[in-house]
Amino acid sequence: MLEADKVFAGSVPENYDRYMVPLIFDFYANDIAQQAASFSPKAVLEIAAGTGVVTRALAPKLAADAAYVVTDLNPAMLDYAASRQPPDSRIQWKQADAMALPFDDAAFDLACCQFGAMFFPDRTSGYREVKRVLKPGGRFLFNVWDRIEENVFAQDVLDALGEIFPDDPPRFITRTPHGYFDTGLIRSQLEEAGFSDVAIETKAEQSRAPLARIVATAFCQGTPIRNEIEARGGNLEAITDRVAATIAERRGSGEISAKMQAHVIKANA
């Protein structure tokens, strides 16, 4: 992962929440929120909260006396998440690096992370930090995307950008979001960090959009792909149009849908 892969600034948070969240994140956010709530946690840590899609799904399911600390490395994303959340005295918003969590040992009984572990520069060390702040027997619940070939819209965008920039195609999608899909590796790194009872479930779902242009805008303007396009001197709107045209050729000009797939992981501290 490159440092630029962590830059979600400018209009990216708003476009991420407006386009990416309904396109690919809502289903898995609701799934992780339901599973998290089933443990009846009283002290919850969310890592890499992004624009707060899990927070919005999980907070209503928590007990009235629960404490919920929501963190992200990127202040712009965290600020946007806080702006979208109804007032809730149980929630504390805190900028935090997952590699050096600013919390006491054994402070939480549940930690959750939606599509954030792929951004950890050292996953085993990151998992050790999560285990450190969990109480003995606490739960760690997170998800990661499966390989790009199992996520059709992402593959479409990758292919289109490869045609537009044949000499230097943007690689953010495969390098980071879809670069950490080996379940054997994930299990071994969690166990090396001290977790036990690791359970991994692969879940497939349909990603839907009213138009191909929505998919293209989501990826090209709501993720660090935007940084890659602009770094190559590309006109953002023109490139988005070209990506949309490729998707429309493959999937249709009206409402479209395609497979997406992720791994959902549970482990005990």
Side-chain angles (χ1 to χ4, degrees), residues 88-137:
D88 191 329
S89 61
R90 300 170 303 167
I91 300 177
Q92 176 188 357
W93 304 93
K94 191 173 184 64
Q95 191 275 336
D97 185 345
M99 306 305 296
L101 293 169
F103 306 110
D104 293 337
D105 295 356
F108 302 95
D109 47 34
L110 173 74
C112 62
C113 181
Q114 160 116 314
F115 299 119
M118 307 93 73
F119 292 85
F120 294 0
D122 182 328
R123 279 109 186 193
T124 303
S125 295
Y127 296 153
R128 287 196 185 100
E129 266 296 272
V130 176
K131 185 176 185 299
R132 179 185 66 78
V133 302
L134 283 172
K135 298 172 184 177

Side-chain angles (χ1 to χ4, degrees), residues 3 13 52 85 92 105 114 118 123 129 131 143 146 157 171 176 179 213 247 265-267:
E3 281 299 309
Q85 188 73 29
Q92 176 188 357
D105 295 356
Q114 160 116 314
M118 307 93 73
R123 279 109 186 193
E129 266 296 272
K131 185 176 185 299
N143 50 23
D146 200 353
V157 172
R171 294 294 186 192
T176 302
R213 186 56 158 76
I247 297 170
I265 302 103
K266 291 182 279 190

Side-chain angles (χ1 to χ4, degrees), residues 25-237:
F25 290 128
D26 269 340
F27 170 82
Y28 292 103
N30 289 325
D31 174 73
I32 209 168
Q34 183 175 1
Q35 294 196 56
S38 72
F39 299 125
S40 300
K42 290 300 181 70
V44 179
L45 171 65
E46 185 177 349
I47 299 165
T51 58
V53 58
V54 170
T55 316
R56 294 192 291 274
L58 177 54
K61 301 179 186 297
L62 297 177
D65 60 346
Y68 189 1
V69 180
V70 182
T71 71
D72 197 89
L73 177 65
N74 193 306
M77 296 288 271
L78 195 65
D79 289 346
Y80 191 89
S83 76
R84 290 290 315 278
Q85 188 73 29
D88 191 329
S89 61
R90 300 170 303 167
I91 300 177
Q92 176 188 357
W93 304 93
K94 191 173 184 64
Q95 191 275 336
D97 185 345
M99 306 305 296
L101 293 169
F103 306 110
D104 293 337
D105 295 356
F108 302 95
D109 47 34
L110 173 74
C112 62
C113 181
Q114 160 116 314
F115 299 119
M118 307 93 73
F119 292 85
F120 294 0
D122 182 328
R123 279 109 186 193
T124 303
S125 295
Y127 296 153
R128 287 196 185 100
E129 266 296 272
V130 176
K131 185 176 185 299
R132 179 185 66 78
V133 302
L134 283 172
K135 298 172 184 177
R139 310 274 189 157
F140 183 27
L141 174 62
F142 68 105
N143 50 23
V144 298
W145 291 114
D146 200 353
R147 67 182 72 240
I148 195 167
E149 291 84 359
E150 302 293 345
N151 289 271
V152 174
F153 285 150
Q155 182 70 65
D156 288 345
V157 172
L158 179 71
D159 292 345
L161 291 172
E163 293 175 1
I164 296 167
F165 300 103
D167 296 329
D168 184 21
R171 294 294 186 192
F172 167 74
I173 300 179
T174 50
R175 184 174 56 243
T176 302
H178 296 284
Y180 186 53
F181 54 81
D182 185 332
T183 56
L185 176 62
I186 294 167
R187 183 184 300 276
S188 67
Q189 289 177 334
L190 283 164
E191 291 173 347
E192 185 179 351
F195 283 95
S196 61
D197 299 322
V198 178
I200 302 176
E201 182 180 4
T202 301
K203 293 192 174 186
E205 182 57 36
Q206 288 291 301
S207 176
R208 295 178 173 84
L211 295 168
R213 186 56 158 76
I214 297 296
V215 178
T217 302
F219 281 94
C220 294
Q221 301 187 28
T223 76
I225 291 173
R226 173 176 184 156
N227 307 330
E228 294 186 305
I229 291 171
E230 293 179 336
R232 287 160 175 77
N235 178 284
L236 186 62
E237 290 298 327

